[in-house]
Structure formats: structure tokens, C-alpha cells
Amino acid sequence: MEIKAYDLEQIKLFNHINPAELEALLSFLGCHVKTIQRKKYIYHVGDQLNEFGIVLNGEVRIENVDFWGNTSIIAHLSNGAIFAESYVLAHKPLSVDVIAQKTSEILFISTQKLFQSVPAEQSAISSAKNTLIQNLLLACSQKNLHLSHRIFHTSSKTIRGRVISYLSFLSKEKESASFDIPFNRQQLADYLNVDRSALSHELSKMQKDGLITMNKNHFSLNDKVM
């Protein structure tokens, strides 16, 4: 499908770039859209990349698998999210796997021309490119904060402590005591680096203790002193 078929104005990476300039910029950069089937790998550990991706439609999972085959979910990405940009900018091989959680359309942006000078007669493209670079730097900063949050969520020695940290963070982010989480039980266990059965047991105990109410991936935090 052609890039212009998507509503790119809703993607934060393209903020403050008007549609005409954006279309010209993406053409200049040689961007392309590719459909990735569910559970297929987009990138593998060790890949040396010269382009990063944006989820136009679908869901993408970033994960790490250790020597013994244990999986840790680093991030769960939905529409508008970017991935692999830090590795591309740093010219480092990928240290994680990137997998389509479900069939997804991905926009790939090559960095080959991103930092090259633009001819004077293409000043509109030059302006749009500078804005894109600024947005990309902002996105990288925000992603670093997200990774810092995950480190914070997994710092507790107890499963309950990790769950409370994660759910409390989401509650603040959503500005509500009731919200959906983007993970199923296995994915949440991987994200928090805990055993799935132990996590399920602890969640049941927390619900019995009156701390939370849950239904599948919907959680409500109850106002109860622990």
C-alpha cells in the first residue's frame, strides 16, 4: 500500500510538518511500507540496520532472549510508535528481536539521506527534514525514560512490589484508577521478569486482599491501605 494512504499526521514523529512537505520528504528519503505477518520477525538480534521502523497499523513486540531461552519483553508498541532508531543512529548491531505481535504495516525510514545536505532549491524538504530530526531526538529521549521506568518496575525483590510499581505508574499515566494494560499474563510476567504462575498467584492474592480488581487485562486499583 502507498504511504499516502495512511493518516501520517497522527504520528508524533511527523508533528509540525505539513502534509505536502511530508510527502516530499518521505519520497526524498526513500521510505517504504511493508506488511509483516503475525509472529514474523521484523529484525533479529545482530542485524546491522540503516533504517528504522514506524508502526502504521498493528502491534510490535521488542524482546530479549537470554542464553537459556528465557524471554524478557522490553516494549509493546502500537500505532505511531517507532523502533530500532537508537541502533541506527548509533551504528550498532541490534541487541533485541523485533516481532509483529499481529499482522502489521510498517513504514521504514532510511537514515542514509537524513543527515545529508539538501539542495537549495529543495528548501521545503530541508525544513521538514530538520523538524523530523528534532522529533526523532525527542522520541529517543522519551524512549529512554520508558526504559528507565521498566528498570524501576523490576527493581523490587518481590512480585507484589513489581506489580504495584507497574500498575501505579499506569494509573498515573492514564490519570485513572481503572485502565487496560497492553499485556496478557505471559507478556506481563516477561515484562516484570517473573514466573507466570507466580505472577498469577500474586495477582489473585492482591485481588483477595482488596488491592485490585481485575478482569483479563483490565485492572482497577482500590483505595486500600496495604
Side-chain angles (χ1 to χ4, degrees):
M1 185 176 292
E2 294 184 1
I3 295 176
K4 62 183 180 181
Y6 295 92
D7 186 8
L8 301 181
E9 295 180 59
Q10 302 302 313
I11 297 176
K12 291 183 178 180
L13 189 63
F14 302 140
N15 280 355
H16 311 300
I17 304 176
N18 72 55
E21 291 181 352
L22 178 58
E23 184 177 348
L25 174 62
L26 296 181
S27 177
F28 172 79
L29 295 175
C31 301
H32 61 100
V33 176
K34 185 176 180 181
T35 298
I36 309 296
Q37 298 300 316
R38 178 176 179 268
K39 293 189 176 181
K40 294 296 184 180
Y41 281 74
I42 302 172
Y43 292 136
H44 292 83
V45 170
D47 286 349
Q48 187 73 54
L49 310 176
N50 59 11
E51 60 183 13
F52 62 91
I54 302 178
V55 183
L56 295 180
N57 182 39
E59 294 179 6
V60 169
R61 188 174 73 248
I62 312 296
E63 65 179 36
N64 177 66
V65 182
D66 66 22
F67 182 83
W68 292 274
N70 301 306
T71 299
S72 296
I73 294 180
I74 307 301
H76 181 277
L77 309 178
S78 55
N79 295 1
I82 65 175
F83 58 87
E85 72 286 351
S86 295
Y87 294 95
V88 176
L89 296 175
H91 302 289
K92 297 293 184 180
L94 207 62
S95 60
V96 294
D97 291 315
V98 184
I99 305 167
Q101 183 77 9
K102 64 181 183 180
T103 299
S104 305
E105 281 79 45
I106 308 298
L107 170 63
F108 293 96
I109 299 182
S110 172
T111 57
Q112 184 175 1
K113 293 184 177 181
L114 189 58
F115 299 100
Q116 292 181 2
S117 299
V118 178
E121 63 272 16
Q122 295 180 303
S123 58
I125 290 179
S126 180
S127 176
K129 184 167 68 69
N130 290 337
T131 301
L132 177 62
I133 291 173
Q134 292 174 8
N135 292 341
L136 183 58
L137 291 175
L138 176 61
C140 288
S141 298
Q142 293 173 334
K143 186 167 290 187
N144 285 337
L145 287 176
H146 174 78
L147 292 176
S148 296
H149 291 150
R150 183 170 186 265
I151 292 172
F152 183 73
H153 299 327
T154 57
S155 63
S156 175
K157 294 181 179 180
T158 67
I159 296 176
R160 179 169 294 201
R162 297 185 183 195
V163 171
I164 289 173
S165 175
Y166 177 63
L167 295 181
S168 296
F169 171 77
L170 283 185
S171 178
K172 292 177 182 178
E173 186 177 58
K174 304 290 186 180
E175 297 183 348
S176 173
S178 184
F179 49 84
D180 291 335
I181 68 171
F183 303 130
N184 59 33
R185 288 294 179 272
Q186 183 60 60
Q187 292 164 350
L188 179 59
D190 291 339
Y191 180 80
L192 296 177
N193 280 337
V194 297
D195 178 75
R196 177 182 176 178
S197 59
L199 172 65
S200 296
H201 178 68
E202 187 59 46
L203 288 174
S204 296
K205 286 179 62 179
M206 291 177 67
Q207 182 162 250
K208 183 178 180 180
D209 292 343
L211 298 176
I212 63 173
T213 302
M214 60 181 180
N215 180 24
K216 296 183 179 180
N217 70 329
H218 185 79
F219 283 77
S220 294
L221 307 189
N222 301 323
D223 186 11
K224 180 181 176 66
V225 178
M226 290 178 288

